[in-house]
Each structure stands twice: as structure tokens, then as C-alpha cells.
Amino acid sequence: GQQLNQSPQSMFIQEGEDVSMNCTSSSIFNTWLWYKQDPGEGPVLLIALYKAGELTSNGRLTAQFGITRKDSFLNISASIPSDVGIYFCAGYSNRDDKIIFGKGTRLHILP
Amino acid sequence: GAVVSQHPSRVICKSGTSVKIECRSLDFQATTMFWYRQFPKQSLMLMATSNEGSKATYEQGVEKDKFLINHASLTLSTLTVTSAHPEDSSFYICSARDRRAQGYTFGSGTRLTVV
């Protein structure tokens, strides 16, 4: 089945630093999604990408749908304490009609 | 925006009993509901997909007789964990697809603990 490789698994950064994480897949997705999950909560959608090459921003967040449709990245600029959490990439395939999640990137911000 | 209400948020049950989890789409019609399970520090794993009025489609390795899914209306889907065992303890999350926008909205999750 389809698998998503998300990296890095965890990050420790200073407040104010920029963050970058990415996902790659062995197969093509029609939609790439980036979610943030806080402890004990369901994932919350940050950015959705629908076209290959699409670059979309949401405040300090920027994400891109790779040209090959097999990868995506998420950047967070000027990190703040509330950015702490787990970020998941997810891919949707029209053929399988389901969303597959990456393993997540845990973001920690050092005091 | 689209909101999915999931209930209960936490439940503790005795081994061998059944637990029902509800997901409601509050302001939109959900043509499809997805049910996920998430173990601690792991990703969300899709368990099953249900379309309104149809039988659910289960992922490989998920027992359909143990995890009963009902999607009787466009605004409500339920997951019943039957004869629960401690290994079923997990975080269960639903996601609803909006018929209009084709967006996906997640519920806030249910923490199930089987003792």
C-alpha cells in the first residue's frame, strides 16, 4: 500500500527560528494536506494543496505540492511557542479515496 | 467553517463490554466518514471508510465484527468497539468529508481506556 515518509521525526529549535519538514511518497497523490495535532486533540488542517507545483501560504506557514506529485514540504517561519506540537503530512488519492498520514514531526521549542 | 463533533472525548470501560463513539457533522452533510486509530506517539491509522447508507469498507487487519460502523444519516456516524480488550485502548478519531467542498474535517477524538 501507499506509504508516506515524513522527516524529520522531531526537531528542537530556538524561538524565532524557521522550520522545514517534508514528506515523500512512493506513489502519486492528488492532494497533499498538512495538519497539526495538539495533545489529546484531533488533527487540525493547516494547509491543503491540490495541484502539482502549488505553493500556498497560511500566515507564517508555507507549503508546496511537489512537481512529481510524490512529495511536499512545510515551512514555518519565525517560530513561536504555540507552534509546539506534532505536524502530520497526509496524502489523498482519488484512486483509493482515502487519506494516508505520515508518521509526524514533533516540534519542540527550546526556552 | 465545518465542524465535526465527536463524543465522548474520554471513556473508560471494563474488558468485555462495548463502547459506542459518535461523530456528528454540525453544519454540513458528510457523504463519507473515515475512522482512524492512533496509538501513543504514533500516526493516525485508517480503520475504515463509511459512506452514508452503505456498509463500511475496512482496512486490512481491522476486524469488522469487532469495530462496528454505522453511517445511517448524512450527519451521524458511529463506531462501536465490541467486547473491548485492553489492547483496544487507543485514541479514536473520525473525519468527515464535506459533500460540497470535498474538504476533510476531523473530530476532536475519543480516548478509550479498557481496564
Side-chain angles (χ1 to χ4, degrees):
Chain A
Q2 292 175 312
Q3 292 186 338
L4 290 183
N5 298 309
Q6 184 172 351
S7 65
Q9 283 189 326
S10 64
M11 303 181 71
F12 292 81
I13 63 169
Q14 299 281 350
E15 182 178 348
E17 286 186 15
D18 296 342
V19 172
S20 185
M21 59 192 78
N22 69 84
C23 268
T24 60
S25 168
S26 58
S27 54
I28 290 171
F29 285 108
N30 301 100
T31 303
W32 280 94
L33 306 157
W34 285 92
Y35 290 89
K36 180 173 185 274
Q37 185 179 30
D38 291 325
E41 299 288 331
V44 174
L45 181 67
L46 300 174
I47 292 180
L49 302 158
Y50 301 102
K51 295 181 182 178
E54 179 181 352
L55 182 70
T56 298
S57 293
N58 177 9
R60 294 178 296 107
L61 278 61
T62 302
Q64 185 160 31
F65 192 144
I67 291 291
T68 65
R69 296 168 66 188
K70 293 183 179 181
D71 64 299
S72 177
F73 72 75
L74 173 71
N75 288 342
I76 304 173
S77 63
S79 58
I80 60 177
S82 61
D83 291 335
V84 167
I86 305 174
Y87 293 80
F88 289 100
C89 64
Y92 170 76
S93 163
N94 286 350
R95 183 189 66 185
D96 298 325
D97 192 27
K98 57 187 176 185
I99 296 177
I100 304 298
F101 281 80
K103 294 187 183 300
T105 296
R106 290 178 177 272
L107 180 62
H108 306 267
I109 296 183
L110 302 171
Chain B
V3 176
V4 172
S5 174
Q6 185 170 345
H7 179 80
S9 58
R10 292 177 182 273
V11 58
I12 300 173
C13 70
K14 290 185 177 181
S15 186
T17 61
S18 295
V19 173
K20 180 184 283 188
I21 302 169
E22 290 188 352
C23 263
R24 294 181 183 273
S25 55
L26 297 187
D27 50 4
F28 67 98
Q29 292 183 326
T31 52
T32 306
M33 284 276 197
F34 303 89
W35 287 93
Y36 292 83
R37 179 168 52 185
Q38 185 179 32
F39 291 108
K41 298 189 177 181
Q42 294 192 20
S43 186
L44 285 76
M45 300 301 296
L46 182 65
M47 299 174 65
T49 303
S50 72
N51 293 299
E52 185 262 339
S54 303
K55 288 185 178 180
T57 302
Y58 290 81
E59 295 298 301
Q60 192 172 7
V62 179
E63 301 174 57
K64 62 179 181 180
D65 294 330
K66 181 171 183 60
F67 299 99
L68 302 179
I69 292 173
N70 184 286
H71 192 170
S73 78
L74 284 171
T75 59
L76 173 65
S77 178
T78 62
L79 167 66
T80 301
V81 183
T82 63
S83 186
H85 292 287
E87 57 265 31
D88 298 324
S89 299
S90 187
F91 194 54
Y92 292 86
I93 308 171
C94 65
S95 174
R97 179 160 63 194
D98 185 332
R99 164 189 285 182
R100 296 168 301 149
Q102 287 292 298
Y104 297 82
T105 303
F106 284 81
S108 55
T110 297
R111 173 74 60 194
L112 171 63
T113 303
V114 184
V115 298

